[in-house]
């Protein structure tokens, strides 16, 4: 079986909620496992949970303050549950006792944990933990069903000796199991991208005219960023070489910021050998000023001539230098005859596949939507409808996986 990468949760924000139950004493171990996988962890507890585990231990292992009441009596401020709910990429409530479960299902919010839960936009898991008969009680079972019907996920308790002395189903799943569920969510073990390293380029390049002016283009980098983020969600190790744009990728994508085409070439060449696939979504300037003035060029009445020279063709160079098993996917943006030009580029540059987009009112540079044709060098073809770039990225990545890693 494929193992998830060592830092499978790198950069992921995990909100751990602890309710009052004996199994709370195991949560510091869970937090350590999540931290060891690279996650950022914040912990919220109910008042009752602090009877079973200390805030001090949890704050040491999570490397963050532990939040319990609505108000911080020392700082005389409130603990912002909305920010926490938005911060989290995943929330796990463990142990989740019968009382907290009932409140989650009924939308109660008389403590910080419940309020953060109601504010969370991310997927939420609960790890129920209670005594044998409590767990089997029809009210609890109904609440579990209702929680799942509301879109929540349950990590089933295990069978075994319980704190009461009884033996049966009700023990909270072990911290290793809980951590594995989150790792599998972000990094599914059956994903073809687990164990793969992918280089994605995105954004424009800026070619300096002088210290304050440049030649650029209208690319925002959004398509490449969406591709990089989706690949990371599928378990790939992702390097994003990103040209100058105000957009940025999440922290689980390793971003290498560059300015010009020459910088981008250097960064890509440095990373190329370690990559299984290279997806070149950046809009690299074809030309650059032959010389960039060291000082700001002064305005004058005379016309100004700029001598432009061709930039290196990064896609061709990487394609030429690639290893036998490395896959190279190019992008083409055309304003006319898009498919014919794209097809010619695919063969001329000896690419494995090409994504062809036609610049239009809702497609290409600077738009949140796009419509593309993906061509494989062997003739396979996929055409997308007009869709959000965030939805198009999974479609492209799934098709590439089917073509090259099935
Ligand atoms: C020693 C002790 C152990 C408990 N263990 C559990 C438990 O494992 N599961 C559970 O649902 N409730 C358990 N309870 C009951 C909860 O602590 C109680 O329902 C409490 O109101 C929960 O508050 P909270 O949901 O705000 O954390 C336990 C109570 C005590 C005194």
């Amino acid at each position: 079986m494929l193992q998830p990468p060592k830092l499978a949760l790198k950069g992921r924000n995990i909100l751990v909620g602890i309710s009052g139950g004996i199994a709370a004493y195991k949560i510091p171990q869970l937090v350590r496992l999540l931290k060891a996988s690279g996650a950022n962890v914040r912990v919220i507890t109910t008042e009752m949970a602090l009877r079973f585990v200390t805030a001090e231990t949890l704050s040491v292992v999570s490397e963050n303050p532990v939040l319990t009441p609505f108000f911080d009596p020392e700082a005389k401020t409130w603990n912002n549950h909305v920010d926490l709910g938005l911060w989290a990429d995943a929330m796990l409530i463990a142990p989740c006792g019968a009382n907290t479960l009932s409140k989650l299902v009924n939308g109660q919010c008389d403590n910080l944990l419940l309020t953060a839960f109601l504010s969370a936009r991310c997927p939420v898991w609960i790890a129920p933990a209670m005594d044998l008969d409590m767990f089997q009680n029809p009210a609890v079972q109904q609440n579990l069903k209702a929680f799942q019907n509301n879109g929540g996920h349950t990590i089933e308790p295990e069978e075994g000796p319980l704190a009461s002395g009884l033996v049966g189903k009700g023990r909270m799943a072990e911290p290793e199991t809980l951590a594995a569920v989150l790792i599998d969510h972000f990094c599914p073990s059956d994903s073809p991208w687990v164990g793969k390293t992918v280089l994605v380029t995105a954004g424009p390049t800026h070619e300096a005219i002088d210290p304050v002016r440049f030649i650029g283009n209208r690319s925002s980098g959004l398509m490449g960023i969406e591709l990089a983020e989706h690949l990371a969600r599928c378990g790939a190790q992702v390097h994003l070489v990103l040209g100058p744009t105000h957009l940025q990728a999440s922290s689980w994508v390793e971003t290498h910021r560059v300015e010009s085409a020459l910088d981008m070439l250097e960064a890509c060449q440095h990373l190329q050998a370690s990559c299984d696939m290279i997806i070149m979504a950046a809009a690299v300037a074809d030309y650059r000023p032959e010389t960039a003035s060291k000082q700001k060029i002064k305005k004058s009445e005379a016309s100004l001539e700029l001598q432009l020279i061709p930039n290196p063709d990064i896609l061709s160079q990487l394609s030429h230098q690639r290893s036998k098993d490395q896959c190279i996917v190019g992008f083409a943006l055309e304003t006319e005859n898009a498919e014919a030009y794209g097809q010619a580029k695919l063969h001329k540059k000896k690419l494995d596949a090409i994504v062809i987009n036609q610049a239009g009112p809702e497609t290409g540079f600077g738009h949140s939507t796009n419509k593309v044709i993906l061509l494989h060098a062997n003739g396979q073809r996929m055409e997308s409808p007009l869709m959000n770039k965030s939805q198009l990225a999974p479609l492209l990545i799934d098709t590439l996986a089917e073509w090259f890693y099935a």
Side-chain angles (χ1 to χ4, degrees), residues 19-22 46 48-49 52 97-100 111 129-130 134:
S19 74
I22 191 75
T46 63
M48 190 63 169
F52 302 95
N99 181 57
T100 286
N111 65 41
M130 54 202 84
M134 281 174 82

Side-chain angles (χ1 to χ4, degrees), residues 215-294:
I215 296 174
N217 58 61
R218 299 183 197 280
S219 167
S220 65
L222 180 61
M223 190 69 245
I225 290 174
E226 293 287 0
L227 288 169
E229 296 212 335
H230 188 71
L231 280 162
R233 276 194 286 277
C234 293
Q237 166 86 32
V238 185
H239 292 287
L240 174 67
V241 174
L242 184 59
T245 164
H246 65 286
L247 299 179
Q248 59 181 40
S250 320
S251 55
W252 57 83
V253 167
E254 198 163 332
T255 302
H256 310 258
R257 285 275 183 178
V258 295
E259 192 72 20
S260 67
L262 290 178
D263 297 342
M264 188 170 276
L265 175 65
E266 193 186 332
C268 291
Q269 284 179 326
H270 180 67
L271 295 162
Q272 177 167 21
S274 64
C275 295
D276 299 283
M277 183 180 273
I278 299 177
I279 302 178
M280 302 283 290
V284 182
D286 293 328
Y287 296 93
R288 70 176 185 277
E290 186 171 28
T291 49
S293 168
K294 289 210 164 34

Side-chain angles (χ1 to χ4, degrees), residues 14-36 41-46 49-50 52-63 66 92-97 113 125-129 155 171-179 182:
I14 313 274
L15 185 57
V16 175
I18 311 179
S19 74
I22 191 75
Y25 83 91
K26 295 184 178 176
I27 302 306
Q29 172 63 2
L30 167 69
V31 173
R32 292 196 69 166
L33 292 171
L34 297 176
K35 293 287 294 178
V41 182
R42 310 265 346 227
V43 179
I44 304 185
T45 78
T46 63
L50 295 181
F52 302 95
V53 63
T54 70
E56 288 77 0
T57 307
L58 290 162
S59 100
V60 170
V61 289
S62 68
E63 297 174 38
V66 172
L92 168 61
I93 302 173
C96 181
L113 189 160
W125 283 260
I126 54 168
I155 306 171
R171 284 169 67 91
M172 186 185 75
E174 290 301 323
E176 289 73 12
T177 309
L178 302 181
L182 293 180

Side-chain angles (χ1 to χ4, degrees), residues 32 69 71 117 140 200 206 364 395 398:
R32 292 196 69 166
F71 296 98
F117 164 75
V140 169
V200 180
H206 285 180
L395 179 63
D398 288 353

Side-chain angles (χ1 to χ4, degrees), residues 19 25 50 73 78 119 149 173 191 197 228 249 272 341 346 351:
S19 74
Y25 83 91
L50 295 181
W78 64 300
S119 305
N149 290 341
S191 161
T197 303
Q272 177 167 21
Y341 283 132
L346 168 73
L351 309 176

